[in-house]
Amino acid sequence: MSAEVETADKGRSRGDKQRDAIVAAVRELLEERPFAELSVSTISARAGVARSGFYFYFDSKYSVLARIVSEAMEELDALTHNFAPREPDETPAACAKRMVGSAAAVFASNDPIMSACTVAQNTDAEIRDLMADFEDGVIAKIVGVIEQDAGARPISDDLPALVRTLVSTTAFTLSRDSAFIGRDGDLPRSVEIVERLWLTALWGGGQISV
């Protein structure tokens, strides 16, 4: 390996580490305070990089959040096998559990990021646009899955609107919004209800096997 190539590789490695440190800092800080209270200075200090270093990799704190949400989307793609259509041997109940369960896994591994975004989109326009892009991508893929499913029996002809309602309900439930899980915060119970909603709304009912 030439000296020039080795130097370039080291530079990229150092850059990757600094970028990852910034992303990790945002994740850590969101466990301590709302996103609205985060500043570039605070993030840079936690990441151990200069403000100029922060702006070398990201335009704003929203750019960091966009990267995290993008990674969450990639994770959701992987868990759902890129939103693979239901196979003949997969029951509608199993498919409903796969979709909701995959979303639950993504929320769990990215908590409190996804929860913070879901809540903050009500008051922050940039986060609202970010989450809208994320949700639009998920909805389009799920609509494609249902359109290919000969056994699907959606309760509405407006499939995009129906799926949007299901996705939004799932997101607010998984973000532990009290309006969806109650004050007792019984998430497993609420997730089971969401699975039944998916099953009934898209396949006309049936039993969720435990």
Side-chain angles (χ1 to χ4, degrees):
M1 179 184 293
S2 69
E4 291 83 359
V5 172
E6 186 174 359
T7 299
D9 286 344
K10 286 181 178 178
R12 280 194 293 270
S13 177
R14 180 172 179 270
D16 289 343
K17 289 179 180 178
Q18 288 187 328
R19 184 171 55 247
D20 291 346
I22 293 169
V23 171
V26 171
R27 287 182 178 276
E28 291 175 6
L29 287 165
L30 278 176
E31 295 183 8
E32 305 167 8
R33 66 193 77 174
F35 185 75
E37 295 180 9
L38 299 189
S39 67
V40 170
S41 295
T42 303
I43 296 169
S44 299
R46 177 64 64 92
V49 303
R51 277 176 59 91
S52 58
F54 176 96
Y55 285 114
F56 181 81
Y57 300 107
F58 297 100
D59 294 331
S60 68
K61 65 179 185 179
Y62 291 96
S63 299
V64 186
L65 199 59
R67 180 179 180 85
I68 294 172
V69 172
S70 175
E71 291 173 352
M73 184 67 189
E74 292 174 3
E75 185 179 348
L76 187 57
D77 281 343
L79 288 172
T80 59
H81 307 292
N82 200 27
F83 290 88
R86 184 171 64 89
E87 297 292 338
D89 60 346
E90 183 181 32
T91 65
C95 189
K97 289 183 73 71
R98 169 163 64 96
M99 292 300 179
V100 177
S102 297
V106 170
F107 267 77
S109 64
N110 289 280
D111 192 40
I113 301 291
M114 298 303 293
S115 296
C117 287
T118 301
V119 173
Q121 66 181 329
N122 293 320
T123 55
D124 191 303
E126 289 196 63
I127 293 181
R128 183 161 54 248
D129 289 342
L130 179 65
M131 292 304 290
D133 289 342
F134 176 79
E135 290 166 358
D136 286 347
V138 171
I139 290 164
K141 291 182 178 183
I142 295 174
V143 168
V145 168
I146 301 304
E147 287 178 339
Q148 297 177 59
D149 191 335
R153 299 291 184 271
I155 61 173
S156 171
D157 292 334
D158 191 344
L159 190 55
L162 175 59
V163 172
R164 181 174 296 280
T165 299
L166 293 172
V167 167
S168 296
T169 300
T170 303
F172 279 106
T173 298
L174 295 176
S175 67
R176 296 179 172 82
D177 188 302
S178 60
F180 289 80
I181 68 172
R183 286 182 293 182
D184 60 352
D186 189 345
L187 185 60
R189 173 189 174 200
S190 298
V191 168
E192 181 182 352
I193 296 299
V194 170
E195 290 172 353
R196 292 181 182 277
L197 283 174
W198 280 70
L199 181 60
T200 301
L202 297 176
W203 289 282
Q207 294 297 314
I208 291 283
S209 56
V210 185

